[in-house]
């Protein structure tokens, strides 16, 4: 592991402008809050998930139709961790009818937090298996209310946070090339490439740490399973600031139970920051009229050049 404390500190050295991200994402035409009832036609029952000619589930558009996945805004993945009873904090809150309490932007489209919107830090999230240093880092980020969120300055969110950043997303399957592409309008307008040709992950120095890591996928029945390693330490797991190290290993599961629902699950295993693996899950709704539009976060972003950290040092410019 490459000095996870140094990496975590670097990750915390960017001022957050995430409200701008949310504002743009909320304006997408045809977007609806996560958890809505789309997928039901006039007759009532959900339409079945489409399939490719070879029978593989189609996780994207049907030929001749529009459509994008309306990624929800999930600020705190700690609220989505599946606990011993098989439920999450968020699911229990929704079941109790208190879905709007402690969220920003509503129970489905907004970010989860402690009751009243307070940031309680590590002690408020016993379901998260922090190590002492990661708990201390999370407490610091909580106290300054994610002031240095890297994504707030157009850096890629990295890993599963892509699936919790409120911009449209497309999945394009290329079975002949044995690849799957995921294209995101937001998150600095980036894409993921998932290799489906059975290759292993690079080893040793050949595994170059990146924001999104190295993804290899396979089908387990109708579920796409994606294994990811090789993350750098310049991102947070979520807006609330759960840290990670370059030892992070993520296994994602994507399934499409009906045409307008994408079920998503991510298991995090980071022995550098957490005492045991944990799994978070949520659903993503289909917007049948949506299309991706151009969004360039970095464009004319001169503000970055004059940013300083808590010690008065330039974040991006040359240090004295």
């Amino acid at each position: 592991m490459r000095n996870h404390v140094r990496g975590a500190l670097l990750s915390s050295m960017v001022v957050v402008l995430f409200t701008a991200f949310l504002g743009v994402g909320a304006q997408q035409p045809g977007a609806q809050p996560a958890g809505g009832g789309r997928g039901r036609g006039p007759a009532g029952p959900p339409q079945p998930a489409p399939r490719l000619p070879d029978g593989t589930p189609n996780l994207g558009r049907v030929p001749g139709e529009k459509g994008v996945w309306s990624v929800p805004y999930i600020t705190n993945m700690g609220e989505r961790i599946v606990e011993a009873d098989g439920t999450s904090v968020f699911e229990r809150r929704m079941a109790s009818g208190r879905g709007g309490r402690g969220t920003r932007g509503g129970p489905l489209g907004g970010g989860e937090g402690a009751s009243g919107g307070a940031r309680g830090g590590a002690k408020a999230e016993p379901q998260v298996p922090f190590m002492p240093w990661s708990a201390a880092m999370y407490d610091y980020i909580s106290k300054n209310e994610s002031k240095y969120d890297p994504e707030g300055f157009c850096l890629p969110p990295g890993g599963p946070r892509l699936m919790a950043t409120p911009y449209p997303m497309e999945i394009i399957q290329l079975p002949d090339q044995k690849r799957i592409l995921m294209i995101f309008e937001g998150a600095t307008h980036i894409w993921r490439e998932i290799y489906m040709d059975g290759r292993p992950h690079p080893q040793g120095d050949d595994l170059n740490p990146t924001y999104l890591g190295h993804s290899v996928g396979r089908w387990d029945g109708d579920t796409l399973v994606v294994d990811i390693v090789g993350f750098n330490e310049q991102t947070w797991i979520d807006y609330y600031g759960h840290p990670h190290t370059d030892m992070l290993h993520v296994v994602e599961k994507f399934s499409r139970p009906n045409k307008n629902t994408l079920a998503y699950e991510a298991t995090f295993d980071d022995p550098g920051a957490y005492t045991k693996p944990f799994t978070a899950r949520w659903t993503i709704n289909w917007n049948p009229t949506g299309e991706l539009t151009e969004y360039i976060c970095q464009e004319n972003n001169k503000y970055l050049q004059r940013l300083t950290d808590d010690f008065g040092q330039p974040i991006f410019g040359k240090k004295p």
Side-chain angles (χ1 to χ4, degrees), residues 161-241:
R161 188 173 175 181
L162 281 168
M163 312 305 297
T165 299
Y167 290 87
M169 180 265 291
E170 283 192 51
I171 300 177
I172 301 173
Q173 289 158 260
L174 303 171
D176 291 342
Q177 300 183 28
K178 299 185 184 302
R179 294 185 301 158
I180 294 177
L181 299 180
M182 295 183 178
I183 304 177
F184 299 82
E185 179 180 304
T188 69
H189 210 96
I190 57 179
W191 73 92
R192 289 182 61 187
E193 186 168 19
I194 300 169
Y195 300 104
M196 302 291 291
D197 55 7
R199 72 180 65 183
H201 292 301
Q203 300 296 313
D205 291 340
D206 292 333
L207 181 62
N208 179 37
T210 60
Y211 285 95
L212 306 185
H214 185 271
S215 298
V216 296
R218 60 180 176 84
W219 288 101
D220 181 5
D222 286 346
T223 299
L224 174 64
V225 180
V226 183
D227 191 282
I228 319 168
V229 298
F231 293 102
N232 65 30
E233 296 181 340
Q234 311 310 312
T235 67
W236 296 349
I237 286 177
D238 51 22
Y239 167 73
Y240 262 41

Side-chain angles (χ1 to χ4, degrees), residues 66-83:
K66 295 182 180 180
V68 292
W69 292 110
S70 294
V71 176
Y73 181 36
I74 298 175
T75 56
N76 182 3
M77 291 191 199
E79 298 264 292
R80 303 297 184 116
I81 291 177
V82 182
E83 299 181 51

Side-chain angles (χ1 to χ4, degrees), residues 11-21 146-157 161 187-188 211 295 297-299 301-308 315-316:
S11 296
S12 69
M13 292 175 60
V14 191
V15 182
V16 64
L17 291 178
F18 197 85
T19 51
F21 281 178
S146 300
K147 181 179 179 182
Y148 300 120
D149 180 11
E151 188 179 357
F153 283 98
C154 302
L155 294 175
R161 188 173 175 181
T188 69
Y211 285 95
Y295 171 67
C297 185
Q298 301 97 328
E299 193 169 52
N301 197 349
K302 298 179 180 178
Y303 180 62
L304 293 176
Q305 305 307 315
R306 60 177 183 267
L307 291 177
T308 58
I315 293 176
F316 295 101

Side-chain angles (χ1 to χ4, degrees), residues 39-61:
R40 297 182 179 273
Q47 300 177 43
R51 292 183 180 271
L52 299 178
D54 64 0
T56 303
N58 181 353
L59 301 181
R61 292 181 180 177

Side-chain angles (χ1 to χ4, degrees), residues 250-285:
V250 175
V251 176
E252 298 174 305
K253 294 182 179 180
F254 299 83
S255 60
R256 195 172 188 176
N258 59 63
K259 184 176 180 180
N260 292 332
T261 304
L262 185 69
Y264 178 75
E265 178 181 298
T267 297
F268 300 79
D269 184 5
D270 185 352
Y274 301 96
T275 59
K276 63 180 180 180
F278 56 90
T279 298
R281 68 186 178 201
W282 56 90
T283 59
I284 303 171
N285 283 339

